[in-house]
Amino acid sequence: MRKPVIAGNWKMYKTPKESLAFLDAFLPLVEGHGRDEILLFPTMSSLAYVIEASLGTNVCAGAQNMHWLNEGPYTGQTSPTMLVSIGARHVLLGHSEQRLYFSETYERVNLKLKAAINHGITPIVCFGEMLAEREDLQTADVLRTQVRTALRNISASEARRLVVAYEPIWAIGTGSTAHPDVAEQAHGIIRQELAHCCGLETAEKTRILYGGSVKPENISSLMAQPDIDGALVGGASLVPTTFANIVKYE
Ligand code: PEP
């Protein structure tokens, strides 16, 4: 009932030329693949090129971040109307690299989430605990607070478009993938909190992706978990054959 999403986050990698070379190799590998939604998140400088080159295919591209206002004196930012104007219909919000290195907060994620929904953009909102929080048995509390803050005053109908990613910070770019049981437990906590914020029906319909060192070798065991509805893939999404193997997991 929840169509899986396999998303590639290219972080700060690939020029427009490299992005188009990726598509040349990747699109034929996933042509006709309809089981999962396939998303790519290139850098802002490549986004319009990737969107144009993916038109008419089964791959969609979105932005790695955005501001919540339509315009203003905010150097370095991109607005929701600007994203819509180039055909972007997806945005990553609250990625841990934004939280850790650029002081992103869930209060701001909440504003961005509302703006995305108002502009018809699908937000993929990231949640996840740090290693010290997990070791301190704080994971459930941390996740609940993050979800509650990000979804403040979001109604069930607004949350209809929402996609969530559970990305434990200790698993991102480290090669230490969460054990499927550990990820499943965290997804359960997030789904419970979604139900609390936006109702049971919305919670049951919302796709919750796992992210953190996903590779072709571990995608199947993660996807076998009932509450894991897809993957947000960083490093392994940069190579066309590797990412295609993740998309086409068995
Ligand atoms: C990410 O960037 O969201 C991510 C999960 O990275 P990696 O797959 O490299 O851990």
Side-chain angles (χ1 to χ4, degrees):
M1 131 192 175
R2 296 188 294 260
K3 182 168 182 167
V5 180
I6 308 290
N9 171 21
W10 285 355
K11 308 178 189 253
M12 199 172 72
Y13 293 100
K14 294 192 190 296
T15 62
K17 197 171 161 195
E18 290 163 345
S19 303
L20 294 177
F22 175 98
L23 285 183
D24 276 348
F26 179 69
L27 290 176
L29 296 174
V30 297
E31 196 179 349
H33 182 92
R35 179 191 58 190
D36 312 270
E37 252 180 65
I38 308 171
L39 302 178
L40 289 173
F41 292 91
T43 63
M44 207 53 88
S45 57
S46 291
L47 182 56
Y49 296 99
V50 173
I51 289 172
E52 202 189 320
S54 318
L55 282 178
T57 74
N58 53 347
V59 174
C60 279
Q64 294 179 10
N65 193 14
M66 68 170 205
H67 200 281
W68 59 93
L69 294 175
N70 286 340
E71 59 181 11
Y74 302 106
T75 304
Q77 300 293 314
T78 308
S79 79
T81 44
M82 290 165 189
L83 292 185
V84 170
S85 76
I86 59 165
R89 294 288 179 275
H90 299 82
V91 67
L92 283 182
L93 296 178
H95 191 278
S96 64
E97 287 156 11
Q98 281 292 322
R99 281 157 31 223
L100 288 175
Y101 308 131
F102 302 102
S103 310
E104 182 65 298
T105 64
Y106 280 106
E107 283 76 14
R108 285 206 311 241
V109 169
N110 176 250
L111 295 173
K112 293 176 180 189
L113 180 52
K114 285 181 194 161
I117 290 164
N118 288 337
H119 286 84
I121 300 172
T122 298
I124 290 98
V125 185
C126 305
F127 302 111
E129 79 287 359
M130 314 223 316
L131 183 59
E133 292 167 334
R134 170 158 290 273
E135 286 174 346
D136 216 17
L137 307 180
Q138 297 296 313
T139 301
D141 284 347
V142 167
L143 293 176
R144 287 196 189 105
T145 305
Q146 291 177 343
V147 173
R148 224 175 295 140
T149 311
L151 296 189
R152 187 168 296 146
N153 295 327
I154 303 285
S155 68
S157 69
E158 286 171 325
R160 209 176 71 244
R161 196 181 280 285
L162 176 70
V163 177
V164 163
Y166 168 59
E167 296 214 311
I169 294 174
W170 46 270
I172 297 182
T174 59
S176 301
T177 318
H179 188 281
D181 295 341
V182 170
E184 173 67 9
Q185 193 187 27
H187 283 224
I189 293 166
I190 292 173
R191 204 176 295 288
Q192 251 178 19
E193 199 54 40
L194 285 173
H196 188 249
C197 295
C198 305
L200 195 60
E201 203 188 326
T202 304
E204 305 237 301
K205 286 188 178 151
T206 302
R207 274 92 53 94
I208 306 181
L209 320 184
Y210 167 78
S213 300
V214 172
K215 306 168 207 139
E217 304 78 62
N218 56 34
I219 180 75
S220 305
S221 56
L222 289 160
M223 291 303 295
Q225 301 298 318
D227 270 311
I228 299 185
D229 309 311
L232 179 53
V233 186
S237 72
L238 293 168
V239 179
T241 47
T242 310
F243 192 45
N245 285 336
I246 292 176
V247 169
K248 298 195 287 185
Y249 71 89
E250 282 172 14

